[in-house]
Amino acid sequence: MVLKRRAAVLGAVAVLALTPVLAGCSDDGGGGSGGGSATATVTGSESGSATAATGGPVDPAAAKAEITKNFTAFFDARTPTAERVKLLEDGERMAPVLGAFAGDKNAARTSVEVKEVEFTSPTDANVGYDLLVAGNTALPGAKGTSVLQDGTWKVSVRTLCGLVQVSGATVPGC
């Protein structure tokens, strides 16, 4: 059972094992903290740029909905690479990595189901999710993070690199 699950995870994130393309996959401290992240496009200033005195967004429910929407879109094979760039922390720098994913058959079968979002600061959130392959749970209870960058909640580079590590690949910079 464990071997089958690991094989499914490896297949799901095999696209992340493109070592030459992933050389730029490091978190240079620009925004996120924690073991990964999620993204969400802010549709209005009420959910992303403003923060409450308690250390989280003014409208946590709206921010959570946007994180869920964008995290899901980032891992959806139907989302164009140009849109994924907008959903990933430092997306412009990471664009070559995302472009490599576009043609991979395994990436077309991978998706996520966000289970929980917990804000840790005005600009950071922990995201719990299940990684699915062809609709079947391959990596239950995965943890990632979302960071608020340029007014948009985004999947962190650390989340992407965390999946690379789960795949067993050694990628410079991750």
Side-chain angles (χ1 to χ4, degrees):
M1 178 69 149
V2 173
L3 290 176
K4 285 184 180 181
R5 184 181 322 189
R6 182 162 172 84
V9 171
L10 290 173
V13 295
V15 69
L16 300 177
L18 301 170
T19 304
V21 180
L22 290 171
C25 185
S26 66
D27 187 354
D28 60 3
S33 64
S37 80
T39 65
T41 301
V42 175
T43 57
S45 62
E46 68 279 355
S47 60
S49 61
T51 59
T54 61
V58 170
D59 188 346
K64 179 180 177 178
E66 291 175 9
I67 288 169
T68 300
K69 176 184 169 225
N70 289 343
F71 199 84
T72 302
F74 178 79
F75 287 99
D76 185 336
R78 297 170 294 187
T79 301
T81 301
E83 184 62 24
R84 288 181 183 188
V85 166
K86 295 175 187 177
L87 299 175
L88 179 63
E89 176 187 21
D90 298 330
E92 289 298 322
R93 180 175 59 88
M94 300 298 292
V97 175
L98 297 175
F101 298 158
D104 186 87
K105 65 180 180 176
N106 292 316
R109 301 175 55 217
T110 304
S111 61
V112 299
E113 184 178 320
V114 174
K115 298 293 192 176
E116 62 183 327
V117 176
E118 176 187 5
F119 295 98
T120 58
S121 79
T123 60
D124 295 286
N126 291 329
V127 180
Y129 65 95
D130 290 343
L131 182 72
L132 309 173
V133 177
N136 298 308
T137 303
L139 185 61
K143 302 291 182 189
T145 60
S146 180
V147 297
L148 183 64
Q149 184 179 55
D150 300 327
T152 299
W153 285 99
K154 300 182 177 190
V155 171
S156 73
V157 169
R158 287 184 178 193
T159 296
L160 181 63
C161 289
L163 288 172
V164 170
Q165 291 171 352
V166 167
S167 75
T170 302
V171 179
C174 277

